[in-house]
Amino acid sequence: MSNSLPLDGVRIIDFTHVQAGPACTQLLAWFGADVIKVERPGSGDVTRSQLRDIPGVDALYFTMLNSNKRSLSLNTKTPEGKEVLEKLIKESDVLVENFGPGALDRMGFSWERIQELNPKLIHASVKGFSDGHHYEDLKVYENVAQCAGGAASTTGFWDGPPTVSGAALGDSNTGMHLAIGILTALIGREKTGKGQKVACSMQDAVLNLCRVKMRDQLRLDRVGHLEEYPQYPHGEFSDVVPRGGNAGGGGQPGWVLKCKGWETDPNAYIYFTIQGHAWEPICRALDKPEWIDDPEYMTAEARQDKIFDIFATIEDWLKDKTKFEAVDILRKFDIPCAPVLSMKELAADKSLRESGSIVEVEHKERGTYLTIGSPIKFSDMKPVITGSPLLGEHTDEVLTGLGYNREQIAAMHEAKAV
């Protein structure tokens, strides 16, 4: 494997906080970028103290979103702090922020000023809604984004309210989208020599993940029903995409089914998908060979009005099998399925540990902690995940790199600029 990472030499000013922005910059740090997290002296990112499990120590909320970064504490309200930021902008490639509208302008660092300092700098922003949107002044958090982006209206059961997902569709998902935008802008700069502004709104990022539901809306508008949803053929459709419970949603009926132990284990379930090409193996696995050529069952159309009866039969087959035993049997028949895994099970998963998807890293105050590693795998590199920085841990190091001497750094500490 190569010792050099693709983003070695790329310097990123990380003005982000909480989750969406830090998820973006952490990904880039994993791939070699020098990410300098700029934080307010004395407090830093609010997630350092949110949901703490150890008093007085950086919370897991912070540590799991800020690995591989350097922390610079900087008071940009002071003249000295503004001078440091100017120097940093001149020597960096990307500035990432998730401030409210106009915040950078009020700090004295408008886009025009940034371009004066460094015309090659890429300015990347996480927003709640896109510029010009009629809700652009709204403050947006994870669940707000899921509702505004269409995810909540299409999640849950048809007889219940809209439901948000436990996955960070609004936050981390937006960060991943913004990272793609930053990398694209960096490649573009190689051709033009100029930086540019890049933005991703949380609403847009959620909407992008809901494209199949927009597909279903367009189909519903045209034909008035959606044949792969549980409501078909006996239910009624309104003029909006309904909530489909645990249905597959992609033309392959699927459902969450109980396994042995479900009475006491809330996750003793598997997800079972009935794909057309897998129908014969499913019948053989269930010991129902008579279904293979039965006209009442042999096509997806024929099965749709009996789909819950079929799932009930499968669930009866599952009742004496744990979710792991069931999947081990079903995968031999090449049947799409998976156990419903809890966070506790995932944290202990040997395969995820070996692949680097879950890693243990050292922290100077909390010791070893578990965190999520890179979900993206490469043939010629393996990102090494390091612990998150303490507040201001690299302040003097960064200042020295910007050309400040020991006396100047001491004066900035005295002036509470850093």
Side-chain angles (χ1 to χ4, degrees):
M1 288 206 175
S2 172
N3 291 324
S4 176
L5 294 172
L7 298 185
D8 280 347
V10 175
R11 173 175 284 179
I12 297 175
I13 304 169
D14 183 2
F15 256 125
T16 69
H17 54 282
V18 190
Q19 185 175 168
C24 167
T25 52
Q26 177 174 252
L27 187 71
L28 301 175
W30 288 343
F31 300 157
D34 176 19
V35 176
I36 299 173
K37 188 173 181 73
V38 181
E39 301 185 80
R40 184 180 301 168
S43 56
D45 191 318
V46 67
T47 59
R48 286 186 181 271
S49 59
Q50 281 188 342
L51 308 174
R52 275 182 169 142
D53 59 317
I54 302 175
V57 174
D58 286 339
L60 289 166
Y61 197 179
F62 177 85
T63 66
M64 295 179 75
L65 286 159
N66 292 282
S67 56
N68 293 60
K69 301 179 184 180
R70 295 196 289 168
S71 173
L72 164 68
S73 61
L74 187 67
N75 183 356
T76 57
K77 294 182 179 180
T78 65
E80 297 89 346
K82 290 184 187 299
E83 179 188 273
V84 170
L85 183 54
E86 284 191 359
K87 287 193 175 186
L88 200 52
I89 288 173
K90 289 177 181 178
E91 298 190 19
S92 297
D93 299 282
V94 185
L95 184 154
V96 191
E97 51 85 12
N98 57 352
F99 294 129
L104 268 181
D105 290 17
R106 292 190 293 274
M107 288 168 56
F109 292 92
S110 64
W111 173 235
E112 292 72 25
R113 177 58 178 151
I114 289 173
Q115 286 185 302
E116 288 175 6
L117 294 168
N118 183 354
K120 296 181 70 175
L121 189 87
I122 292 157
H123 174 193
S125 303
V126 172
K127 297 179 177 294
F129 295 88
S130 293
D131 286 345
H133 193 284
H134 54 279
Y135 286 154
E136 68 177 337
D137 60 331
L138 279 178
K139 185 171 286 187
V140 178
Y141 297 111
E142 172 65 53
N143 292 348
V144 175
Q146 289 196 33
C147 291
S153 71
T154 55
T155 303
F157 284 83
W158 46 88
D159 56 353
T163 305
V164 297
S165 168
L169 306 181
D171 278 325
S172 283
N173 167 51
T174 303
M176 302 303 108
H177 277 79
L178 188 62
I180 294 170
I182 290 169
L183 294 174
T184 302
L186 284 170
I187 294 171
R189 191 180 69 178
E190 293 298 312
K191 299 178 180 180
T192 66
K194 297 189 299 183
Q196 62 177 302
K197 295 178 76 173
V198 180
C200 184
S201 82
M202 296 171 74
Q203 181 192 38
D204 289 351
V206 174
L207 176 59
N208 190 40
L209 295 189
C210 293
R211 65 177 60 235
V212 296
K213 297 301 181 181
M214 183 62 77
R215 171 207 67 190
D216 292 348
Q217 183 63 56
L218 300 176
R219 292 169 54 227
L220 182 63
D221 290 344
R222 184 173 295 276
V223 300
H225 66 271
L226 300 166
E227 67 269 12
E228 76 278 18
Y229 278 65
Q231 291 86 338
Y232 182 83
H234 301 304
E236 294 184 0
F237 287 86
S238 71
D239 62 349
V240 300
V241 174
R243 290 183 276 283
N246 289 313
Q252 297 86 34
W255 209 252
V256 172
L257 303 175
K258 299 172 184 173
C259 294
K260 180 181 178 181
W262 67 270
E263 299 90 345
T264 55
D265 180 356
N267 294 299
Y269 293 79
I270 67 168
Y271 194 84
F272 192 104
T273 301
I274 300 177
Q275 284 187 307
H277 69 81
W279 179 243
E280 182 175 338
I282 289 170
C283 295
R284 298 199 185 284
L286 299 175
D287 195 24
K288 296 291 264 183
E290 67 273 16
W291 278 357
I292 295 174
D293 297 316
D294 187 335
E296 292 291 308
Y297 289 90
M298 62 187 298
T299 67
E301 292 78 13
R303 291 190 291 269
Q304 186 60 29
D305 66 341
K306 296 178 283 294
I307 196 67
F308 284 107
D309 293 334
I310 295 170
F311 285 137
T313 299
I314 299 170
E315 203 163 64
D316 185 62
W317 179 83
L318 290 166
K319 65 184 179 183
D320 62 347
K321 303 170 184 67
T322 68
K323 60 187 179 184
F324 298 111
E325 291 169 343
V327 170
D328 280 342
I329 294 170
L330 295 170
R331 67 180 181 171
K332 294 174 183 176
F333 291 86
D334 199 25
I335 296 169
C337 63
V340 173
L341 296 175
S342 67
M343 288 298 110
K344 189 175 183 68
E345 289 166 330
L346 289 166
D349 190 294
K350 182 180 178 182
S351 294
L352 294 177
R353 299 291 188 103
E354 290 175 349
S355 70
S357 297
I358 291 180
V359 295
E360 289 186 1
V361 296
E362 288 293 325
H363 187 270
K364 292 180 174 61
E365 293 182 342
R366 69 164 42 248
T368 301
Y369 70 94
L370 201 68
T371 192
I372 307 298
S374 174
I376 306 168
K377 313 303 181 190
F378 303 87
S379 65
D380 198 38
M381 78 171 202
K382 186 173 183 179
V384 176
I385 312 301
T386 61
S388 63
L390 301 179
L391 176 59
E393 179 180 346
H394 304 96
T395 297
D396 290 2
E397 177 181 290
V398 172
L399 293 176
T400 299
L402 291 174
Y404 290 96
N405 61 37
R406 187 178 303 174
E407 291 74 21
Q408 290 171 315
I409 293 172
M412 276 192 275
H413 281 286
E414 183 67 25
K416 300 190 182 304
V418 296

